[in-house]
Amino acid sequence: MNIKNKFLLTIAILGMACFTTNAENVTGLSLRVTKQHSLVLSLNNICNNPVQITLKDKVGETLHNEIIKQNDLISRVYNLKNLSFGDYSIVITFSDQIKIQPIEIGINGVALSNSEMQTMFNPVFDQHNEFLDLSMLNLSNNEVQLILKDNDGRAVYSECVTELGSIQRRLNLSNLAKGSYTLTVAVEEIGVFKIFEEIVDWSPKI
């Protein structure tokens, strides 16, 4: 960690016990394939927030995107027979997390990848007084990039996190000049790159 990070990073705690999530809310999610080169998605008993469904190819290009409002039961059938052989992923975005399921299309039709469905958790930001707190659950071996930039785009704090478990960071803003800052959290999971941002308007007390 470089010098400019030291005065900002007040607390750095990693541990599963200090982070809670609503993962139980997605127990009603199921995916299955049919003989007709189709993928069947079912959602049940999920919160009332809108759910985003995205189909991406191997390089991350979006092939299909829709936002649906949750009812008691939602079922969607996606016909994939016109897609070329290769690797794809279906991305299901909830209010607090993202589910990513790899898909393989080959001569024998559509198959769910041997890789398990992965979960990307949304970070939680909380600003109070001179502190900006970040909490995020990281269950993969991929890097999580943290960077805080000022209004001119200059980085005043940056860190690459690779540890598993709960990411807890408290940034001390007291030594920063008055202005608008943006904390960016960048995560990549099975070819899906996601950026979360929190804008902070900071004014030190006189």
Side-chain angles (χ1 to χ4, degrees):
M1 187 178 297
N2 58 35
I3 296 298
K4 66 180 178 182
N5 288 345
K6 290 184 179 179
F7 77 93
L8 280 171
L9 189 56
T10 305
I11 297 177
I13 304 173
L14 296 174
M16 292 289 290
C18 31
F19 191 93
T20 59
T21 181
N22 293 325
E24 64 273 12
N25 288 346
V26 297
T27 54
L29 167 64
S30 68
L31 284 166
R32 62 184 177 87
V33 296
T34 69
K35 295 181 179 179
Q36 290 74 35
H37 293 76
S38 295
L39 181 69
V40 180
L41 167 68
S42 297
L43 299 172
N44 191 20
N45 296 327
I46 302 178
C47 58
N48 292 323
N49 294 320
V51 178
Q52 183 178 14
I53 312 296
T54 307
L55 179 66
K56 293 181 175 289
D57 63 14
K58 187 176 182 178
V59 298
E61 189 75 20
T62 297
L63 306 177
H64 173 78
N65 185 65
E66 64 176 316
I67 297 177
I68 53 181
K69 293 185 177 180
Q70 175 64 32
N71 296 314
D72 291 336
L73 175 64
I74 287 180
S75 182
R76 289 285 192 275
V77 179
Y78 301 98
N79 190 333
L80 308 180
K81 68 179 181 180
N82 292 326
L83 294 180
S84 303
F85 293 171
D87 297 325
Y88 300 84
S89 60
I90 185 166
V91 183
I92 307 153
T93 303
F94 303 96
S95 60
D96 63 344
Q97 58 188 278
I98 301 170
K99 294 287 185 178
I100 306 166
Q101 173 63 62
I103 302 169
E104 297 175 355
I105 300 179
I107 192 170
N108 295 321
V110 180
L112 298 182
S113 174
N114 292 330
S115 302
E116 295 181 357
M117 178 183 289
Q118 300 294 320
T119 302
M120 182 186 296
F121 292 93
N122 296 0
V124 176
F125 304 98
D126 180 30
Q127 182 186 3
H128 52 98
N129 298 323
E130 71 271 28
F131 299 113
L132 175 60
D133 291 342
L134 164 71
S135 298
M136 183 178 183
L137 188 59
N138 180 30
L139 299 181
S140 73
N141 292 318
N142 294 326
E143 297 179 350
V144 177
Q145 297 284 345
L146 309 179
I147 184 167
L148 182 69
K149 293 184 178 181
D150 62 18
N151 199 41
D152 296 322
R154 294 172 297 193
V156 296
Y157 160 75
S158 63
E159 182 182 2
C160 176
V161 182
T162 57
E163 296 90 344
L164 288 173
S166 177
I167 300 171
Q168 302 281 327
R169 295 292 186 272
R170 168 165 287 181
L171 304 185
N172 188 338
L173 309 177
S174 61
N175 291 321
L176 296 179
K178 178 181 179 180
S180 180
Y181 296 84
T182 302
L183 177 60
T184 300
V185 181
V187 190
E188 185 173 6
E189 187 72 66
I190 320 181
V192 175
F193 187 72
K194 183 69 175 179
I195 293 178
F196 305 92
E197 290 187 338
E198 178 75 1
I199 298 176
V200 178
D201 291 321
W202 164 244
S203 179
K205 295 181 180 179
I206 299 176

